[in-house]
Amino acid sequence: MERPPRTEAYWPCAVAWVLGTVAAAAFMFAGRGFLLDDAWIHLSYAKSLWYEHTLSYNPGDWETGATSPLWAVVVAPCVSFAEPVVAVKLLGAVLHGAVACVAARIAWQLASRMGADETAARTHSWVALAAGALVALEPQNLYAATSGMETPLASLLLLLAAHALVAGRARAAFAFALLAPWARPELVAPLLVLAATWFVWQDRRTAFALALGVVVGEALWCLANLAVSGYPFPNTYYVKGRLLDASGLLYFARVVAPTMPWVLSLSGVALFAVALRADMRRTRPLLAPLALAAVVGVLAIALSRSFHPGILFWQWRYFVPVLPMFVLVVPFGLMHVARRWMVYAALTPMLLATLWSVAVGVVVYGGQADDTELHVDVARWLAANVPSDATVGVEAAGASRYFTPRSMRIVDLEGLNDAELAHVRFDPARRLDVIRRRRPTHLAVPHAWVPALARVFPLRPLVVFSDPERWDGVRHGAVQVEIYEVVRAKPDPDPVHTHAEPQVGTEAEAARSD
């Protein structure tokens, strides 16, 4: 087969990269902060790495609180800025553009391998452009790209591994598959399925290299966790994980799938089915491995933790890295549409669904990004008003660690950054005992936590920070974080209520107190 001009192969990739980067960067202006306090957790580890050359939470206490240690490494240079939010968001936007670019390249390679007798090189390019554009404008990937989380990095590594597999580059497949678990451990499942199906239907050598890379990467990741905490998985798994919990399947069907434009439009589902039907008629399918890997990835994520339909980005972000694998299959249905008007009829509903989903996403993004600033306000108040050698127990452990002096010890009461607390998460008596042994001098916790902690510590209220209306796609009640000093004298009969009520804290008041 005659090799097509290089411009036919690469212009869709360039367009997809620019489109993805610009679209993701536009989300930056919707809200001023990160979408989750967890983003500050990764930046706290990045700060430790950048200045102290260790992946630790508090100085000298190696912990496994960063589920994506590779993301902490990647964003480490961003901590050198006084305000790292913009730098991290820009990095995420560029990575999202790269995801769209690689998706276009994979689609072009797959279309080319289907043979010149089925479609011309120019058609290959249009299929590649459609794939890249659909990934670039996929609302959930856009939403996650500038969230401050590791999602775009995980998506990129998954697609780079798939690209190396399709291109027959064994060394690259091994390298990207090895790195993938360090970006997001759930990627092990889709990558192993991709390797297995490719081994059966396509190139055994490259498939074996990819599978070996996944196994080695996962083994190294587990050994690193064992060396640090004595457990094979990071603390987050023991706090949030639930093996074989079927609630995730319902969550995906009710919350995640309906917001995917190709599903919402129904025409995308039809194209997906047409593409897979034609592919399965081939002696050696090319698209089925991608679809099967995506399905297994969704199952692995859905069955590994509990999900609640009222929670949006905080939980559906886990599914985001595997969604481009579904989207990649959709444009190939266009290759089997006989008439041009039918192509437009299929693409128009997807375009309208995309625009609607993106518009809704911008509104939700802005509200949630502003909500996270509550934790930043609390952290800045702690840095300005609490002694630098204090030990502070907190519920939101990201911003509180990042903005306070390194001499201040932060105790993550959730256990995400404390292995001992992570393993007594569901034993209240033992959990309170561990917290008591941490000897906190201050607490920054939600109001609901105060009664339990007041049974252990005599507390003097200091200040209250409140977000009057939390927004996560649905409106919740007020979120309130209260800061207390732990009184070391003999406790009063009802220590919380025998002192003056906490002052109401705002960002402006915190600045004045500085």
Side-chain angles (χ1 to χ4, degrees), residues 10-53:
Y10 291 109
W11 74 262
C13 302
V15 172
W17 194 324
V18 172
L19 181 62
T21 302
V22 172
F27 269 70
M28 293 175 53
F29 302 100
R32 58 195 177 115
F34 293 132
L35 296 186
L36 295 174
D37 183 67
D38 293 28
W40 291 110
I41 291 179
H42 283 95
L43 278 175
S44 295
Y45 283 91
K47 191 174 186 180
S48 171
L49 181 65
W50 186 254
Y51 292 111
E52 300 163 9
H53 311 297

Side-chain angles (χ1 to χ4, degrees), residues 102-475:
V102 176
R105 181 62 179 166
I106 293 172
W108 190 91
Q109 289 177 320
L110 291 173
S112 300
R113 291 186 61 167
M114 290 178 179
D117 57 326
E118 296 184 27
T119 183
R122 187 176 298 276
T123 304
H124 300 166
S125 298
W126 285 108
V127 169
L129 178 62
L134 286 173
V135 172
L137 297 177
E138 208 289 318
Q140 298 196 27
N141 285 82
L142 280 175
Y143 198 99
T146 54
S147 65
M149 299 300 292
E150 74 282 352
T151 315
L153 177 64
S155 297
L156 181 60
L157 286 172
L158 178 61
L159 289 189
L160 284 173
H163 172 265
L165 190 68
V166 173
R169 299 174 180 172
R171 293 181 180 177
F174 175 86
F176 291 128
L178 185 146
L179 291 173
W182 292 78
R184 196 70 227 173
E186 294 91 346
L187 296 185
V188 171
L191 282 173
L192 284 178
V193 171
L194 184 61
T197 51
W198 204 259
F199 184 89
V200 173
W201 288 325
Q202 297 294 331
D203 179 8
R204 294 187 173 184
R205 176 175 174 270
T206 311
F208 178 78
L210 187 143
L212 182 61
V214 173
V215 171
V216 172
E218 178 70 8
L220 292 174
W221 188 74
C222 290
L223 287 173
N225 287 318
L226 277 169
V228 171
S229 67
Y231 298 94
F233 303 115
N235 298 336
T236 51
Y237 173 80
Y238 303 100
V239 174
K240 302 177 183 178
R242 296 287 188 285
L243 189 60
L244 300 180
D245 189 330
S247 65
L249 297 176
L250 181 63
Y251 181 89
F252 182 82
R254 291 179 56 185
V255 178
V256 182
T259 61
M260 299 162 64
W262 68 274
V263 175
L264 184 63
S265 66
L266 297 182
S267 63
V269 176
L271 290 174
F272 185 89
V274 168
L276 272 186
R277 182 171 179 268
D279 185 62
M280 291 305 295
R281 289 179 173 178
R282 300 171 58 88
T283 305
R284 304 172 70 184
L286 288 164
L287 301 178
L290 297 177
L292 286 172
V295 170
V296 171
V298 167
L299 290 174
I301 295 164
L303 298 174
S304 62
R305 53 176 55 83
S306 293
F307 288 85
H308 305 281
I311 300 175
L312 297 185
F313 178 73
W314 187 76
Q315 291 193 329
W316 60 247
R317 64 190 168 98
Y318 298 117
F319 295 99
V320 170
V322 302
L323 298 185
M325 303 286 277
F326 286 114
V327 177
L328 271 171
V329 178
V330 175
F332 287 89
L334 298 171
M335 296 170 61
H336 304 282
V337 176
R339 299 182 181 277
R340 182 172 296 181
W341 70 266
M342 297 177 67
V343 173
Y344 296 141
L347 290 177
T348 300
M350 282 196 289
L351 176 61
L352 294 176
T354 298
L355 294 176
W356 181 83
S357 297
V358 170
V360 172
V362 168
V363 175
V364 178
Y365 183 102
Q368 192 171 356
D370 290 341
D371 283 336
T372 306
E373 289 298 288
L374 171 70
H375 302 300
V376 175
D377 294 341
V378 170
R380 292 186 186 278
W381 190 94
L382 290 172
N385 296 277
V386 171
S388 60
D389 60 348
T391 299
V392 185
V394 301
E395 175 260 346
S400 296
R401 175 63 285 171
Y402 187 86
F403 287 100
T404 53
R406 295 292 288 172
S407 57
M408 188 180 295
R409 186 169 186 82
I410 303 298
V411 179
D412 179 3
L413 302 181
E414 286 276 14
L416 298 176
N417 300 281
D418 189 309
E420 188 176 6
L421 278 171
H423 289 271
V424 295
R425 179 71 174 83
F426 302 102
D427 187 336
R430 292 181 61 193
R431 184 182 178 199
L432 286 173
D433 182 63
V434 173
I435 295 172
R436 183 190 295 110
R437 287 191 280 109
R438 296 290 184 268
R439 299 182 61 82
T441 60
H442 297 78
L443 297 172
V445 294
H447 177 75
W449 289 27
V450 175
L453 292 169
R455 291 197 295 269
V456 180
F457 303 106
L459 303 178
R460 184 171 70 88
L462 298 178
V463 65
V464 173
F465 288 83
S466 181
D467 182 352
E469 194 173 59
R470 186 170 180 82
W471 171 259
D472 189 16
V474 292
R475 295 191 182 278

